[in-house]
Amino acid sequence: MSLPFFDGHNDVLLRLLRAGASDGAARFLDGTPDTQLDLPRARRAGFAGGLFAMFAPSPEHYDFEDYQSDKGYSVPMPPPLAPELAQDATLKMVGVAEEIEAMSSGGVRICRQSEEIRDCVDRGQLAMVLHIEGADCIDAEFRFLDVLYARGLRSIGLVWSRDNIFGHGVPFQFPASPDMGAGLTEQGKALVSECDRRGIMIDLSHLNEKGFWDVAGVSSRPLVATHSNAHRLCASPRNLTDRQLRAIADTGGVVGVNFAPCFLAANGLLESGVPLEQVLAHIRYLANHLGEDGVTLGSDFDGVMMPDEIGDVLGVPKIFAALERGGWSSRSIEKFALGNWMRVLRQTIG
């Protein structure tokens, strides 16, 4: 029996949408080689649920590999996305999620509260928590937030790396500090307060450092970075400084370890040969700064290249086995796999 785990970030809904096929939901349920995550592999791996991201892509596209060298990289960021484009893409991804749930014969469930996630784990159902990566689709009056909340949205990353009306993201650069750009706008601070009121978790991944501290100053909930790593080990601005880690620890928050090689490796390159040991190094570093209650999973499946030793969702049990060999107790590994996410989701979405 695989150890059940909850994961803080995947982009499978966008991957299915981009494939352009009308049977995306069926392909997820039956299994497809086009993704790193589907229901058959999830069951084999112990994937009990996760935050299913809805990211609205820009018309402009820049290939990461075109901008990296042995000295690092600096990828151009697209301009702010038109709200109508973001809303259209987001609604399509919500539709894919709802179709997966409807066609799953009870095997998949969109969850709105932590108790529903726990019930899914107990029943062997896959728990989907809907998340938007970049609030580009949300209007200043939060009318579209009402629409998404009613359909199950329970987690928001205020920005992807491009800017929007709520705040400023960090670009894909290396090496670089997350301390770049202005903080949240007044609309961004209002959105944080509104999410606290409703029980929508705020995700700090992709947000710049000033925005991070603005969220910390407004929100009364635990600070959460769903898919980020340690800046000290990999100097990407997408990763968190020691000072940020202390703030997350002080609120009882969590960091989901991101498997993307460019956020793991000391050289910051997007190369699949980065060893599993580098994932473990970030886990150990984060545990030293957050405690064992503050570290969990944030894979980024279907959003980026995976290390060869992980490959797809079936590679996650290798991490648990390596932690056990490294002396982690069964109780600590269970917290890392599931317990820490369950606690924080209970404190944020209810």
Side-chain angles (χ1 to χ4, degrees), residues 9 47 130 132 140 146 156 169 214 230-231 236 262 275 295 327 341 346:
H9 190 88
F47 181 101
L130 297 184
I132 52 173
D146 293 335
I156 291 180
D214 283 340
H231 190 269
S236 164
C262 55
V295 192
W341 266 127
R346 191 165 56 248

Side-chain angles (χ1 to χ4, degrees), residues 318-338:
K318 296 178 184 178
I319 300 173
F320 303 147
L323 291 172
E324 185 176 24
R325 290 193 301 270
W328 282 51
S329 68
S330 296
R331 180 174 178 272
S332 296
I333 296 171
E334 288 169 0
K335 284 184 177 183
F336 172 69
L338 180 65

Side-chain angles (χ1 to χ4, degrees), residues 16-345:
L16 293 170
L17 182 65
R18 276 178 161 167
S22 60
D23 61 346
R27 290 162 62 230
F28 177 82
L29 295 170
D30 296 337
T32 171
D34 299 335
T35 66
Q36 296 162 350
L37 172 66
D38 56 33
L39 185 59
R41 281 178 288 172
R43 285 174 168 162
R44 288 164 58 194
F47 181 101
L51 297 179
F52 280 67
M54 297 176 291
F55 166 67
S58 295
E60 305 86 359
H61 177 70
Y62 306 97
D63 288 325
F64 190 101
E65 291 85 349
D66 292 342
Y67 295 91
Q68 73 173 4
S69 71
D70 57 1
K71 295 181 180 179
Y73 54 83
S74 181
V75 183
M77 280 296 101
L81 185 63
E84 59 271 18
L85 294 179
Q87 290 172 5
D88 179 67
T90 302
L91 288 176
K92 287 177 179 176
M93 284 179 275
V94 173
V96 173
E98 292 172 340
E99 189 175 7
I100 288 171
E101 180 184 47
M103 293 175 60
S104 72
S105 300
V108 180
R109 182 176 173 188
I110 296 174
C111 296
R112 292 161 169 81
Q113 291 184 308
S114 59
E115 288 183 3
E116 296 176 13
I117 302 170
R118 172 55 65 184
D119 188 56
C120 284
V121 174
D122 294 342
R123 294 173 179 266
Q125 298 173 302
L126 189 150
M128 300 178 72
V129 178
L130 297 184
H131 165 86
I132 52 173
E133 185 175 28
D136 310 77
C137 62
I138 305 297
D139 56 283
E141 293 75 31
F142 306 146
R143 287 189 292 266
F144 200 70
L145 183 63
D146 293 335
V147 173
L148 294 179
Y149 184 83
R151 295 178 71 171
L153 180 73
R154 291 299 183 271
S155 177
I156 291 180
L158 300 178
V159 296
W160 181 66
S161 288
R162 66 186 169 223
D163 297 342
N164 60 31
I165 64 171
F166 302 110
H168 307 276
V170 289
F172 291 98
Q173 294 181 6
F174 184 91
S177 165
D179 187 13
M180 59 174 79
L184 297 187
T185 64
E186 290 306 310
Q187 291 166 316
K189 294 174 184 178
L191 179 56
V192 172
S193 295
E194 183 66 15
C195 288
D196 270 15
R197 185 184 70 81
R198 290 174 181 257
I200 299 175
M201 187 174 72
I202 295 292
D203 175 22
L204 296 161
S205 295
H206 285 282
L207 192 61
N208 67 8
E209 189 168 359
K210 287 184 174 64
F212 176 102
W213 295 115
D214 283 340
V215 173
V218 173
S219 178
S220 61
R221 310 280 182 160
L223 296 176
V224 174
T226 62
H227 58 306
S228 294
N229 293 333
H231 190 269
R232 183 64 63 90
L233 300 186
C234 174
S236 164
R238 277 279 286 101
N239 289 338
L240 298 158
T241 67
D242 289 358
R243 183 169 173 244
Q244 289 175 302
L245 295 178
R246 285 194 297 273
I248 292 170
D250 287 345
T251 66
V254 297
V255 176
V257 175
N258 191 321
F259 302 164
C262 55
F263 306 138
L264 289 169
N267 63 9
L269 297 184
L270 187 63
E271 297 176 335
S272 64
V274 61
L276 182 64
E277 170 55 34
Q278 199 61 29
V279 178
L280 302 178
H282 282 269
I283 292 171
R284 290 192 296 265
Y285 190 92
L286 292 171
N288 285 337
H289 287 74
L290 300 167
E292 67 176 26
D293 292 338
V295 192
T296 188
L297 290 168
S299 68
D300 218 339
F301 284 135
D302 286 306
V304 74
M305 169 195 296
M306 287 288 116
D308 292 331
E309 290 185 71
I310 295 177
D312 61 16
V313 68
L314 292 173
V316 173
K318 296 178 184 178
I319 300 173
F320 303 147
L323 291 172
E324 185 176 24
R325 290 193 301 270
W328 282 51
S329 68
S330 296
R331 180 174 178 272
S332 296
I333 296 171
E334 288 169 0
K335 284 184 177 183
F336 172 69
L338 180 65
N340 291 341
W341 266 127
M342 290 304 305
R343 174 185 58 79
V344 164
L345 287 166

